Amino acid sequence: MRCEKSRRKQYNEKAQTRIVCGLILVLGIVSFMQNHYDAYWKKSQTMTVITVNGCESQTPEAQLQIKLEKAVEDYMNLGQMIKTAPCYSTEDALDCVLQYDAEITAAAQRYGVEKAMIQAVLFQELRFYGIEDPVADAWVAMTYAEASLFRMIRKQDSSTGIAQIYAKTAIEAHNWKYGTEYDPSDIATLEQFWMGLQDDTCCIDTEAMVLAKIMDDRQVSIPLTEDETGQVMARYNGTNDWAQKYGAVTARYYAAFQEYDEID
């Protein structure tokens, strides 16, 4: 009888966990889709043209978008297409990157990283922001808030902010750059850095710092070769086979942004 009660208790706890996770997923998806409905479904997809000597020509931004769109199409699989559908289109992601031009330029100069590298990685993280990302962030935020429902399923970190950086990665980059000794296993420190990454300017600055650390770890410096550029950006994502695909597509973005920046 005691054993039966124990099994029933374990079953109930598992069921409660599944229900909570399901509710989080639904609420996260509904919230994010509502916030981005106008931007995704109603935004005009027309490309701006300019008139030069009586002839219409696409703007540099429109030309850049075409190159990025081609790279995205070659890279994206069905699963990514589905999970990113309610989020950022290529145009949305590009608009966001260009909006933060001043912040990206400043971060590139501060850490000795090429501007186009920061733009390429930021574009990738925005374009492939999926419906699972706000759910993960909500889970972490509730863990930090010590919400009672999350005591059984605590999540202390997630790739977050505009550049999708883990707090642990931000801490390691900060320690490398500034000689600090923050402990990435300390939940209070994780919370401090994770919250900081919610600020777009801070997150872009941290992205540049992370890229600079990767370059230092790999003992490479500007100007990078095409292979070195791809490998640095691949490491930003991880170390597995998928990270190599990430590096390959961001290298294509990098080339497109580099050409655009020279015109601009």
Side-chain angles (χ1 to χ4, degrees):
M1 186 65 176
R2 184 180 301 172
C3 182
E4 181 65 27
K5 288 182 179 180
S6 177
R7 283 198 296 269
R8 187 180 300 116
K9 181 180 179 182
Q10 290 175 0
Y11 175 82
N12 289 337
E13 288 178 349
K14 289 180 180 179
Q16 289 171 3
T17 300
R18 293 191 188 101
I19 292 170
V20 170
C21 289
L23 288 173
I24 295 167
L25 180 60
V26 171
L27 290 173
I29 292 172
V30 170
S31 175
F32 194 81
M33 289 181 70
Q34 182 178 10
N35 291 338
H36 289 76
Y37 179 85
D38 289 338
Y40 184 77
W41 293 109
K42 297 182 179 180
K43 189 168 184 178
S44 171
Q45 297 298 310
T46 58
M47 293 188 179
T48 306
V49 297
I50 57 177
T51 302
V52 180
N53 296 328
C55 299
E56 288 189 346
S57 175
Q58 289 178 333
T59 63
E61 289 77 15
Q63 294 173 10
L64 173 60
Q65 183 180 328
I66 291 171
K67 294 174 183 176
L68 295 175
E69 190 67 71
K70 181 63 170 68
V72 166
E73 289 175 358
D74 291 344
Y75 171 81
M76 180 183 285
N77 59 35
L78 180 60
Q80 290 171 319
M81 186 182 300
I82 293 171
K83 74 176 186 177
T84 63
C87 306
Y88 295 91
S89 67
T90 296
E91 185 180 5
D92 295 331
L94 176 57
D95 285 349
C96 191
V97 171
L98 297 181
Q99 174 187 341
Y100 288 102
D101 185 74
E103 290 83 354
I104 292 171
T105 301
Q109 294 172 347
R110 184 175 299 114
Y111 299 106
V113 177
E114 287 190 76
K115 178 179 177 179
M117 289 181 65
I118 302 173
Q119 291 170 314
V121 169
L122 183 59
F123 173 80
Q124 170 73 0
E125 296 300 340
L126 286 166
R127 181 61 184 84
F128 287 91
Y129 188 86
I131 56 177
E132 78 281 10
D133 291 310
V135 176
D137 283 351
W139 191 345
V140 173
M142 290 186 180
T143 295
Y144 291 151
E146 297 185 347
S148 59
L149 288 174
F150 287 78
R151 288 174 182 168
M152 295 184 295
I153 46 173
R154 294 171 65 88
K155 182 176 177 64
Q156 297 182 359
D157 200 1
S158 65
S159 56
T160 193
I162 194 172
Q164 290 294 282
I165 304 170
Y166 280 92
K168 180 177 183 293
T169 302
I171 293 169
E172 291 171 346
H174 192 282
N175 287 344
W176 164 79
K177 177 64 179 177
Y178 298 106
T180 50
E181 297 182 354
Y182 288 108
D183 181 3
S185 65
D186 176 63
I187 189 169
T189 303
L190 280 172
E191 180 181 3
Q192 177 187 345
F193 277 82
W194 191 89
M195 291 298 184
L197 291 169
Q198 307 313 308
D199 177 81
D200 290 348
T201 300
C202 175
C203 198
I204 290 170
D205 186 85
T206 303
E207 177 201 339
M209 184 163 49
V210 170
L211 288 169
K213 181 180 182 299
I214 294 170
M215 288 171 57
D216 185 67
D217 290 343
R218 301 185 71 87
Q219 298 183 334
V220 296
S221 58
I222 294 174
L224 302 178
T225 66
E226 182 178 347
D227 180 65
E228 288 172 341
T229 301
Q231 289 303 313
V232 167
M233 292 190 289
R235 185 62 188 87
Y236 184 92
N237 179 257
T239 57
N240 56 22
D241 291 342
W242 192 254
Q244 294 304 309
K245 296 179 181 178
Y246 178 106
V249 73
T250 48
R252 291 178 63 179
Y253 304 153
Y254 163 81
F257 275 111
Q258 193 175 47
E259 184 176 343
Y260 170 81
D261 292 338
E262 290 174 356
I263 296 172
D264 188 55

